[in-house]
Amino acid sequence: MDALATQPQVTVVIPNWNTKHWLRGCLEGLRAQSYQDFQIILVDNGSTDGSLAFVKQHYPEVQILAFATNQGFAPAVNAGIRQSHAKYVALLNVDTIPRPDWLLALVKTMERSPSTVGSLASKMLNLEHPDIIDDAGDVLSWYGSARKRGMDEPADAYDEEKEVFSACAGAALYRRTFLEETGGFDESFGSYLEDIDLGLRGQMLGYRCFFVPNAKVLHHSHGSGLSRSRYICLMTRNRLKLLTKNIPWPLLLKHCRTLIYGQIYFFLVYKRPLHSMAGTISWLITLPHTLRQRRNIQRENRISNQALDALLSNELGEIPLREILRRKVHKGLHSASSFLKRKP
């Protein structure tokens, strides 16, 4: 019998790094799935917390791919994808608990969708408050900001299947053909914004992404993330890389004021200038490689600049600088007033 014929329909790839305390909820959620034609590959990034021993003892059905050191999200999931031959690949963060019909909803939607639908986004719910949205598909703006659609809004307001910019890789389903044509996740991103980058490259190749409201997952946001300082460094570098790598020059020029405002905004609101500067320097060091990638991406681009322009949001999705400044001034005046009242 052909080995490929015996492959499961779906491979679920889970990256793990010292997050043993989340594994039981995630893996028990997968055991309880109503759809069972899948395999699990856990990609471990050099954990030292006993994660591997725990999985081997309690979840022997899970295949393990172990690295000696932390490779980052993108290299880890790419390794898991390469080890699989399934028609579809689902990515799942370790700090999630998938609801029983999560995978069934994704597979049924993908099976009835045209081949141009390359990825599907799950309805990610706040783990502590499941009536609140954590992520209902991702949005990229012309400020360079990426945000979670619907975050902190009522979950019942997101019950409609809808086309979105891209899927959060914390709980998503991808066609293998989509991953092969896009080349998968860009490993030079390491962690953060790699799923936005993949979604953008997919859009530029003519692929589409849809949000599936019945594919529900509970998620503890940043439950498996890095330190704040490392996060800022990587986000700064990867935001700049995302823009310079993918956006055509005419659109960069058209939106240059908005893009510059966005970079100044994040430099100020992160409040860690040294780490923001470290991220910028890291971007400059990798710029020659990014520009080589850019040439290939622009050569393969199948959509017009007008269509690409419409894909990105014109909303910052954050509190504006003027509002932040107004609040600081108000707080300062209040403190000064309180101090003067206390004086004898």
Side-chain angles (χ1 to χ4, degrees), residues 26-62:
C26 181
L27 295 177
E28 287 295 331
L30 288 173
R31 274 185 175 174
Q33 290 298 298
S34 57
Y35 180 90
Q36 283 291 315
D37 190 14
F38 67 93
Q39 65 177 155
I40 304 171
I41 298 178
L42 180 84
V43 186
D44 188 76
N45 268 326
S47 294
T48 57
D49 66 344
S51 290
L52 296 187
F54 173 79
V55 172
K56 289 176 183 177
Q57 178 181 356
H58 297 284
Y59 302 93
E61 71 272 20
V62 175

Side-chain angles (χ1 to χ4, degrees), residues 126-175:
N126 186 295
L127 182 64
E128 289 77 24
H129 303 284
D131 58 334
I132 299 296
I133 288 287
D134 177 71
D135 190 297
D138 287 343
V139 178
L140 179 64
S141 82
W142 281 112
Y143 293 88
S145 61
R147 61 182 174 87
K148 299 177 176 183
R149 174 174 169 264
M151 185 177 181
D152 294 332
E153 296 180 28
D156 58 10
Y158 289 82
D159 284 339
E160 179 183 355
E161 186 174 299
K162 182 179 178 64
E163 187 165 3
V164 294
F165 176 79
S166 69
C168 171
L173 186 71
Y174 300 92
R175 289 188 194 273

Side-chain angles (χ1 to χ4, degrees), residues 88-107:
Y88 305 126
V89 175
L91 297 188
L92 190 63
N93 274 5
V94 69
D95 57 350
T96 61
I97 302 176
R99 291 283 176 85
D101 290 335
W102 167 68
L103 198 51
L104 177 64
L106 290 174
V107 173

Side-chain angles (χ1 to χ4, degrees), residues 115 132 172 212 248:
S115 59
I132 299 296
V212 182

Side-chain angles (χ1 to χ4, degrees), residues 168-269:
C168 171
L173 186 71
Y174 300 92
R175 289 188 194 273
R176 176 165 295 280
T177 50
F178 167 85
L179 293 170
E180 289 173 348
E181 189 168 0
T182 57
F185 292 90
D186 185 343
E187 297 189 7
S188 66
F189 276 68
S191 299
Y192 299 114
L193 298 182
E194 67 290 307
D195 49 0
I196 296 288
D197 171 72
L198 177 65
L200 177 54
R201 287 186 286 114
Q203 292 277 5
M204 294 172 72
L205 289 174
Y207 282 101
R208 304 164 71 194
C209 177
F210 279 83
F211 164 68
V212 182
N214 292 328
K216 299 176 183 178
V217 169
L218 301 177
H219 182 223
H220 181 81
S221 188
H222 299 298
S224 56
L226 300 175
S227 67
R228 177 68 176 170
S229 58
R230 183 64 175 154
Y231 168 83
I232 291 171
C233 182
L234 289 174
M235 281 292 289
T236 301
R237 183 196 68 182
N238 291 350
R239 187 187 322 110
L240 293 167
K241 181 178 177 64
L242 172 71
L243 297 168
T244 52
K245 173 186 168 185
N246 295 299
I247 304 299
W249 294 122
L251 292 181
L252 287 176
L253 290 172
K254 177 181 177 180
H255 294 280
C256 65
R257 293 178 60 184
T258 304
L259 288 165
I260 291 170
Y261 175 92
Q263 309 325 299
I264 295 172
Y265 176 89
F266 286 107
F267 183 87
L268 294 174
V269 299

